[in-house]
Amino acid sequence: MTAKNISLVLNKINDISFQDWEVPQITDPHDVIVEVKKTGICGSDIHYYTHGKIGNFVLTKPMVLGHESSGVVSSIGDAVTSVKVGDRVAIEPGVPSRLSDEYKGGKYNLCPHMVFAATPNSVEGEPNPPGTLGKYFKSPEDFLVKLPDHVSLELGALVEPLTVGVHAAKLASIRFRDIVVVFGAGPVGLLAASVAKLFGASEILIVDIADDKLQLAKKIGVADFIFNSKTGGGASGLIKAFDGKVPTVVLECTGAPPCIKLAVEILKAGGRMVQIGNAGGDVQFPITEFATKELTLFGSFRYGFEDYKTAVAILDENYKNGKEHAPVDYESLITHRYKFKDAVAAYDFVKTGGAVKCIIDGPE
């Protein structure tokens, strides 16, 4: 490894710079050092960049950005057996406390002591967990997943948001013949739709207010139907656009109050709804209709056990017969690519809303 770990650092709101940070060292026999090759920009990154916080996570000190990454194993601890130097891996960016009740109970994503890349740490005097937008990143071996030969490093950077969709589909218990509506045609919504289809959904409608994103949903093969909620005429218009079908499952990926309300209105009695998108604050909720329909609402936070491996397996299966025969064109989600030296420009561009998914190369 080189002596420097050039990293992209968020110093404060609207202030990003390149800095040399400490090169991570192996301190546990199960540690792995990964040389980062590809990193996606997430909406949460932009939220920290422009607002300095998401909910209770508030930026108070500099933080290396990035958590959607893949790379190549650079060095390993003495006890590592699952990966070797040179392996290409997807990095699961959140490591829980191995002592927490949540970890022991099988819900480690809810661990209150989670160390999650590029997420502010509220403990006085302690640095923020490092993000993945640097030369090197340290991870326990069991939070790395090897990439199959025909899954590129770019696709490896899509594993993190794809895993959000996997977790939501598991929560909703999506099964054969479910009829699914996905609110939001951003990366998470499109990826969640692809997972819903694989889990058995018979037909999927994707809702957004941007026609170009809706057309992309059709192009890449994740939407059977599309609906523009800005011009489509509310619940009755949506059901009409869905060829009269009433959904049994909603995956809500926007956090927008009108979408949350519409989701309750369109769901079939006894249906399930997963709230994936983050709202800006409290929202009004149609509780009477929710109750009388006996709907079930699930909160969804990141991902849990086996979700990352499932997401990699999805990409493996999708591309096993080559790109030209892939059922879903995941690569078309990557609309913009930047060199690491241009990473600040990448963040400024994504901030304008002009990208579906932007990928930044690792430092050369």
Side-chain angles (χ1 to χ4, degrees), residues 28-363:
D28 182 280
H30 292 281
D31 282 345
V32 175
I33 307 298
V34 178
E35 185 173 348
V36 178
K37 297 297 184 181
K38 304 289 180 179
T39 299
I41 296 180
C42 175
S44 65
D45 296 330
I46 300 301
H47 217 77
Y48 285 127
Y49 184 25
T50 57
H51 298 95
K53 64 178 182 178
I54 298 177
N56 294 325
F57 298 103
V58 181
L59 182 75
T60 59
K61 48 206 167 192
M63 175 177 77
V64 177
L65 289 162
H67 64 270
E68 300 180 1
S69 289
S70 64
V72 176
V73 173
S74 176
S75 59
I76 61 175
D78 292 340
V80 172
T81 59
S82 59
V83 296
K84 63 183 184 302
V85 172
D87 281 345
R88 300 174 316 117
V89 294
I91 303 169
E92 183 172 347
V95 180
S97 165
R98 311 291 184 152
L99 304 176
S100 71
D101 289 343
E102 291 79 8
Y103 175 81
K104 294 174 183 176
K107 292 183 177 292
Y108 69 76
N109 57 311
L110 304 181
C111 173
H113 309 293
M114 173 75 75
V115 176
F116 197 91
T119 299
N121 180 353
S122 61
V123 179
E124 185 70 27
E126 291 190 11
N128 288 318
T132 55
L133 263 172
K135 180 78 170 176
Y136 300 106
F137 184 81
K138 180 169 76 171
S139 172
E141 65 171 313
D142 55 329
F143 282 80
L144 300 173
V145 181
K146 287 175 63 175
L147 296 176
D149 290 341
H150 47 270
V151 176
S152 68
L153 285 163
E154 277 198 341
L155 289 170
L158 283 183
V159 170
E160 198 275 347
L162 180 60
T163 305
V164 173
V166 169
H167 189 64
K170 288 182 178 180
L171 287 170
S173 300
I174 293 176
R175 49 188 177 265
F176 181 61
R177 296 192 67 204
D178 265 326
I179 298 170
V180 177
V181 171
V182 178
F183 282 88
V188 170
L190 298 178
L191 292 168
S194 75
V195 176
K197 180 69 78 172
L198 286 170
F199 273 47
S202 60
E203 290 176 292
I204 295 175
L205 178 143
I206 296 184
V207 181
D208 205 282
I209 59 173
D211 286 328
D212 57 340
K213 290 183 178 180
L214 292 171
Q215 291 303 320
L216 178 62
K218 294 281 283 187
K219 173 188 172 185
I220 68 174
V222 300
D224 301 300
F225 301 86
I226 55 177
F227 179 73
N228 189 315
S229 57
K230 195 171 185 178
T231 60
S236 60
L238 188 152
I239 298 300
K240 183 178 180 180
F242 210 176
D243 212 15
K245 299 173 179 69
V246 179
T248 57
V249 175
V250 164
L251 304 177
E252 207 299 298
C253 303
T254 71
C259 293
I260 295 170
K261 181 177 183 293
L262 184 57
V264 173
E265 291 174 353
I266 62 171
L267 266 171
K268 186 176 182 178
R272 295 101 69 199
M273 174 179 170
V274 182
Q275 187 60 45
I276 303 169
N278 288 318
D282 293 343
V283 300
Q284 288 188 319
F285 189 81
I287 192 68
T288 300
E289 186 170 5
F290 178 84
T292 55
K293 283 185 174 180
E294 288 197 358
L295 303 179
T296 302
L297 173 63
F298 297 91
S300 185
F301 187 56
R302 296 174 179 157
Y303 27 75
F305 181 61
E306 292 287 290
D307 291 343
Y308 238 76
K309 290 181 179 179
T310 300
V312 171
I314 286 172
L315 293 173
D316 187 13
E317 179 69 18
N318 190 72
Y319 287 99
K320 67 179 182 180
N321 295 318
K323 294 180 182 180
E324 63 275 13
H325 301 296
V328 177
D329 182 11
Y330 287 104
E331 290 186 329
S332 285
L333 289 175
I334 303 170
T335 55
H336 295 80
R337 296 168 172 86
Y338 284 79
K339 297 293 186 183
F340 186 79
K341 64 183 178 65
D342 299 317
V344 176
Y347 269 79
D348 286 336
F349 176 74
V350 173
K351 188 168 63 171
T352 70
V356 177
K357 177 56 67 177
C358 178
I359 299 289
I360 299 173
D361 289 343

